[in-house]
Amino acid sequence: MTHTAYVEALDATAPLNPNALRAARGPSLVHLRSGPIGVFDSGLGGLSVWRHLHARMPNEDFIYVADNANVPYGDKSEAWIRERMVVMTEWFLAQGCKAIVWACNTATAAGATYIRERYPDVFFVGLEPAIKPAVQLTQNKKIAMLATQRTVDSAKYQALVQRTIQVDSGVQLQSIACVGWAQAIDTGRVSGQMWVNLLAQYLEPVRVFGADVVVLGCTHYPFIADDIRAYLGENVVLLDSGAPVARYTESILDIRDGRTMAKELGQTRNYATCVDEAVRARWQYFSDVAHIELSVLNL
């Protein structure tokens, strides 16, 4: 596994149409310009999204929270996830955050609609699997989507599929719940025969199916992109959503006057609900930052 594994980026340069963006119609964020951007995941996988956000907006401050004491979220109930999102939203707002990025496909699928209705004036950014660009990219009309069980089973994902893949398009979609992947990545158990077997359990059906585009529907999965590509072959396109999420966040902040006026590089405060030396080492590896200050968040 490598944290620099190449993943095909979705188009992160094409201009966005502000009129098509629901969040663009929200209230001005000018009074929160100097506030940080909150980034949340069930574990360390969301650091793949944070890296895109930080690279695109280096002058912004960030707060990254990993709820790794409760990872994985894929086997949690929707009610539990929604309540956890409320707890985290209240905490992020108490820190003065101007935006909250749910860098977790599972949390987005389970609770994004609920949390937006509960906090209508807060700028939330959620993730969804990159099915639409996958449909545009596939050559043989076979797409595979890898995610947690909760994402695959969610009504939000099913609605995404229904509105994206037309019945008469001929596109076939294989959705696979990769139980155990996120937890293995978070805990560093991504080597040895047990990991090889766990990879094969979910990738062999993809290989047999013959998908030429594979959507990484969990923010943990870009960190094992090399392993996935080695199993499926170099010609398979891997898609994740980190780059377009960063572009979207930047665009909405610009439209709503929420960008920082600072010229110096921003700072990132890192929190986890469970911290030990192994977590610190993996955090440094995934974030590609030489020195990490990591604090425990008791929530």
Side-chain angles (χ1 to χ4, degrees):
M1 184 191 73
T2 173
H3 66 300
T4 56
Y6 176 72
V7 180
E8 278 79 358
L10 308 183
D11 187 354
T13 59
L16 293 174
N17 177 9
N19 295 324
L21 303 178
R22 176 182 55 187
R25 298 187 288 273
S28 171
L29 296 170
V30 65
H31 62 296
L32 291 172
R33 273 182 174 173
S34 60
I37 298 170
V39 183
F40 177 83
D41 185 29
S42 61
L44 279 63
L47 288 168
S48 65
V49 177
W50 169 83
R51 289 179 64 174
H52 284 289
L53 288 162
H54 184 261
R56 192 167 189 103
M57 298 177 284
N59 302 111
E60 297 287 356
D61 292 331
F62 294 90
I63 300 176
Y64 185 96
V65 175
D67 191 17
N68 58 333
N70 293 303
V71 73
Y73 273 21
D75 59 4
K76 302 293 193 297
S77 70
E78 285 195 357
W80 186 94
I81 293 172
R82 289 172 179 176
E83 183 55 36
R84 195 63 177 153
M85 292 172 79
V86 170
V87 170
M88 291 312 310
T89 295
E90 292 289 345
W91 187 83
F92 277 125
L93 294 179
Q95 312 310 305
C97 289
K98 59 188 175 186
I100 300 174
V101 180
W102 301 111
C104 177
N105 292 84
T106 301
T108 300
T113 300
Y114 172 81
I115 209 73
R116 286 188 173 113
E117 290 175 351
R118 182 159 177 161
Y119 301 90
D121 292 333
V122 176
F123 174 30
F124 292 111
V125 181
L127 271 72
E128 67 178 21
I131 302 299
K132 183 176 180 179
V135 170
Q136 297 170 343
L137 287 171
T138 182
Q139 298 296 309
N140 68 1
K141 295 191 175 184
K142 291 184 177 182
I143 300 166
M145 199 285 294
L146 310 176
T148 66
Q149 188 74 62
R150 176 59 60 192
T151 295
V152 171
D153 292 343
S154 70
K156 189 175 182 66
Y157 174 64
Q158 297 304 322
L160 169 66
V161 172
Q162 289 180 13
R163 70 174 182 265
T164 304
I165 300 180
Q166 303 302 315
V167 176
D168 58 356
S169 67
V171 173
Q172 301 176 62
L173 173 65
Q174 180 187 57
S175 301
I176 297 180
C178 303
V179 179
W181 276 18
Q183 189 170 22
I185 295 165
D186 238 37
T187 55
R189 299 195 301 268
V190 287
S191 61
Q193 192 58 48
M194 289 185 64
W195 174 241
V196 170
N197 293 343
L198 191 60
L199 275 176
Q201 180 178 349
Y202 300 115
L203 292 182
E204 182 59 16
V206 177
R207 189 191 66 77
V208 173
F209 176 60
D212 65 344
V213 178
V214 174
V215 177
L216 306 183
C218 173
T219 56
H220 285 72
Y221 298 172
F223 292 117
I224 58 166
D226 277 355
D227 290 347
I228 295 172
R229 193 181 301 282
Y231 195 100
L232 297 178
E234 292 297 321
N235 293 327
V236 173
V237 175
L238 304 184
L239 290 180
D240 97 300
S241 303
V245 162
R247 176 184 62 146
Y248 173 82
T249 304
E250 178 188 45
S251 296
I252 299 300
L253 289 175
D254 281 336
I255 292 167
R256 292 169 58 179
D257 297 319
R259 288 298 303 278
T260 183
M261 304 300 288
K263 301 302 181 185
E264 66 273 11
L265 290 178
Q267 302 296 315
T268 297
R269 291 155 52 195
N270 295 290
Y271 296 89
T273 52
C274 178
V275 176
D276 57 26
E277 288 309 309
V279 170
R280 292 181 190 278
R282 289 193 298 278
W283 201 295
Q284 182 173 325
Y285 181 72
F286 286 155
S287 64
D288 201 24
V289 175
H291 176 70
I292 292 293
E293 292 186 9
L294 181 57
S295 301
V296 179
L297 184 61
N298 294 312
L299 282 178

